[in-house]
Amino acid sequence: MLIISDDQGYPDLGCIGSKPLITPNLDRLAAEGVRGTSFYVTWPACTPSRGSVLTGRYPQRNGLYDMVRNDMVNYGHKFSPEEYAVSPEMTLGLDVREVTIGDMLKKAGYATGCVGKWDMGQAKRFLPLQRGFDFFYGHGNNGIDYYTHERYGVPSLFRGNARTEEDKGTYVTDVFRRESLRFVDQQAGKKPFFLYLAFNAPHGASTFGEGTATGEKKIAEGVQAPEKYAAMYRGKVADDKLARYCGAVTCMDEAIGALMDAVEKAGQKDNTIFLFMSDNGGSGNGGNAPLKGSKGTMWEGGLRVPFIMRWPGKLPAGQVTNEFLTALELVPTLLAATGAKAPEGVKLDGFDMLPILSGKSKSPRKEMFWQRRGDKAARYEHWKWLESAKGQGLYDLSTDIGEKHDLSAEKPEVAKMMRERFAQWHNGMDASEPRGPFRDY
């Protein structure tokens, strides 16, 4: 079971203890499994990060290396159905030649379900039922309203390949909880199953804030959360927006707890892997300290995320690892755990991390690279280099996780080495077989 949250920051788990977050179920997963403190995503925002999770490939290799977004969604503009039908959000997606973890596990005999935020394209050819999943209930785009399930006037939930408004008015985390439990109840103990549960929580809603005028920048409403959960944090955090952010995390945590209970009730706890991570760094979450930066940046706060994996009897309980790991490791790890085969002729960019999480070996990962348009970054061993519009420099993460002390003037030879490694990686990505939707091919 692979569970992804949306814009949940590095410190945003109750068990970390730096914020008043209430996440007893994620804390229980961590207590019964392994929590990673040096786990990275492949891009500092949604779409490319999630594409790597599904394919095990760098965004620059699978072709989905930028957001699939319309240009007017943040400017008080509501799309007509006809306008939306020909917009980038409807016509772009993950290249149909890409093989997803759903394809791989379905071929190995698993029942495959996808619930929540797909974000890999909404045209029929891009939707989960055509990408290796037997079941889909969720939205194909980003940042929907938690209650109307619309994105700037467009109903966004799908059941299978068809849009649906059957649950309009119901808080969407509760909808995803119900559909996930239905899938698990149908499969657990009967057939091997894989559930990809991709929450949109705690991402901000697409709702136009009160006072937003047509054609003007949206007044952000922030995260939506039921009052029951937001009330838990009022008086404990800085403002109402942060209370709603925290409330959305706690509501999501309860949904995850219900899934954990359902698996245990079915007698499948020891046979079921739980993987949890965020798709990128936190935004609107009160900060990612001790990390610098947030979602959308190449600082650690945009790229380093919470990670937990539980597999009773196969992984130790209550362990914390600082080994260098990334989302590129997810697909190879799931293949190793299930006995499924990697597709022939497809280059995977990660490795099986079970030996590392079990404490039997050190991570073989020495380097990782990121590019978001003109923003670039690289990590090699304990060195981090970045060159971006929001800042640049060379940092020693072994002593400076907060990226406070730029060492590029003191260590010019290291900075040069990092730039050369980035250039070599970039050349390798350019030499890969062109994939859409952004490559010129």
Side-chain angles (χ1 to χ4, degrees):
M1 192 172 304
L2 175 55
I3 304 172
I4 294 186
S5 62
D6 201 343
D7 292 7
Q8 184 176 359
Y10 176 80
D12 294 350
L13 293 172
C15 60
I16 292 175
S18 61
K19 294 184 178 182
L21 278 157
I22 303 167
T23 58
N25 298 293
L26 286 169
D27 296 349
R28 177 158 55 107
L29 267 187
E32 296 175 355
V34 181
R35 181 169 67 86
T37 61
S38 190
F39 187 89
Y40 292 84
V41 291
T42 62
W43 217 73
C46 310
T47 312
S49 173
R50 290 168 182 251
S52 290
V53 166
L54 287 164
T55 64
R57 288 153 62 83
Y58 272 113
Q60 291 76 14
R61 196 187 299 280
N62 67 35
L64 200 61
Y65 55 85
D66 211 318
M67 308 291 273
V68 174
R69 299 290 179 267
N70 291 337
D71 59 350
M72 288 298 295
V73 292
N74 289 324
Y75 293 91
H77 183 77
K78 290 190 175 182
F79 286 74
S80 68
E82 294 78 15
E83 183 183 16
Y84 197 79
V86 295
S87 70
E89 286 191 12
M90 269 303 301
T91 57
L92 300 180
L94 179 69
D95 194 291
V96 294
R97 293 168 292 175
E98 286 295 306
V99 183
T100 73
I101 186 61
D103 291 314
M104 299 174 209
L105 293 181
K106 184 173 182 178
K107 189 174 181 180
Y110 278 69
T112 53
C114 175
V115 174
K117 178 177 173 176
W118 175 242
D119 207 18
M120 297 293 106
Q122 297 180 97
K124 184 177 179 181
R125 64 189 178 278
F126 297 132
L127 288 172
L129 295 194
Q130 287 67 246
R131 309 311 298 264
F133 290 91
D134 301 312
F135 172 78
F136 174 52
Y137 192 102
H139 56 111
N141 52 12
N142 179 58
I144 62 171
D145 184 282
Y146 285 69
Y147 291 98
T148 68
H149 313 149
E150 293 179 355
R151 178 160 166 82
Y152 307 120
V154 179
S156 294
L157 285 189
F158 287 80
R159 183 177 289 283
N161 289 324
R163 291 185 188 270
T164 178
E165 296 185 68
E166 64 191 84
D167 286 312
K168 188 171 183 175
T170 303
Y171 189 66
V172 76
T173 301
D174 294 335
V175 175
F176 295 159
R177 170 179 174 159
R178 182 197 71 208
E179 294 297 319
S180 297
L181 286 170
R182 177 181 295 171
F183 178 79
V184 170
D185 288 344
Q186 289 174 347
Q187 305 298 338
K190 302 163 190 169
K191 184 178 181 179
F193 72 90
F194 170 66
L195 174 64
Y196 174 52
L197 171 54
F199 288 103
N200 66 309
H203 191 289
S206 69
T207 314
F208 291 119
E210 186 176 349
T212 301
T214 300
E216 292 184 0
K217 185 77 173 178
K218 181 180 99 169
I219 299 170
E221 177 174 313
V223 185
Q224 295 166 317
E227 176 58 24
K228 168 186 172 182
Y229 298 99
M232 296 178 181
Y233 295 97
R234 294 211 172 88
K236 297 179 181 179
V237 296
D239 54 35
D240 187 67
K241 282 186 178 180
L242 193 51
R244 285 185 273 121
Y245 171 91
C246 295
V249 171
T250 297
C251 182
M252 177 185 70
D253 180 82
E254 283 194 7
I256 293 169
L259 280 169
M260 294 165 65
D261 292 343
V263 167
E264 190 162 358
K265 184 179 178 182
Q268 297 301 309
K269 179 178 178 179
D270 291 348
N271 297 329
T272 304
I273 294 169
F274 271 83
L275 274 162
F276 172 82
M277 60 174 284
S278 176
D279 65 347
N280 49 251
S283 174
N285 63 331
N288 297 303
L291 306 184
K292 181 177 182 177
S294 61
K295 173 185 178 179
T297 74
M298 291 297 178
W299 302 110
E300 292 289 287
L303 299 169
R304 193 187 292 219
V305 299
F307 169 79
I308 302 169
M309 182 170 178
R310 185 189 77 176
W311 192 5
K314 300 294 175 64
L315 294 179
Q319 298 297 303
V320 177
T321 178
N322 194 44
E323 290 292 309
F324 185 7
L325 298 167
T326 77
L328 294 171
E329 276 69 86
L330 293 172
V331 166
T333 300
L334 288 171
L335 295 179
T338 60
K341 302 297 183 185
E344 290 186 15
V346 175
K347 165 69 174 174
L348 297 179
D349 289 309
F351 53 85
D352 172 17
M353 60 183 168
L354 288 173
I356 297 94
L357 297 178
S358 63
K360 295 176 181 177
S361 66
K362 296 290 186 181
S363 174
R365 181 167 291 283
K366 300 296 182 185
E367 58 186 15
M368 184 70 183
F369 303 95
W370 300 269
Q371 183 166 11
R372 184 186 190 223
R373 301 185 185 179
D375 295 346
K376 307 169 185 177
R379 177 173 167 176
Y380 177 70
E381 296 183 341
H382 58 88
W383 294 107
K384 169 80 176 293
W385 166 85
L386 70 157
E387 183 180 285
S388 75
K390 294 184 178 179
Q392 57 188 5
L394 175 71
Y395 303 89
D396 183 348
L397 296 180
S398 66
T399 58
D400 182 21
I401 194 175
E403 296 171 294
K404 297 177 181 178
H405 307 293
D406 180 6
L407 301 175
S408 53
E410 298 173 40
K411 301 280 187 181
E413 73 286 357
V414 177
K416 180 175 182 289
M417 177 266 290
M418 297 294 279
R419 288 192 294 270
E420 289 173 348
R421 285 183 176 275
F422 180 89
Q424 185 178 17
W425 167 81
H426 192 275
N427 289 339
M429 293 299 106
D430 282 349
S432 298
E433 179 191 358
R435 298 289 172 117
F438 304 110
R439 293 284 286 272
D440 181 10
Y441 68 101

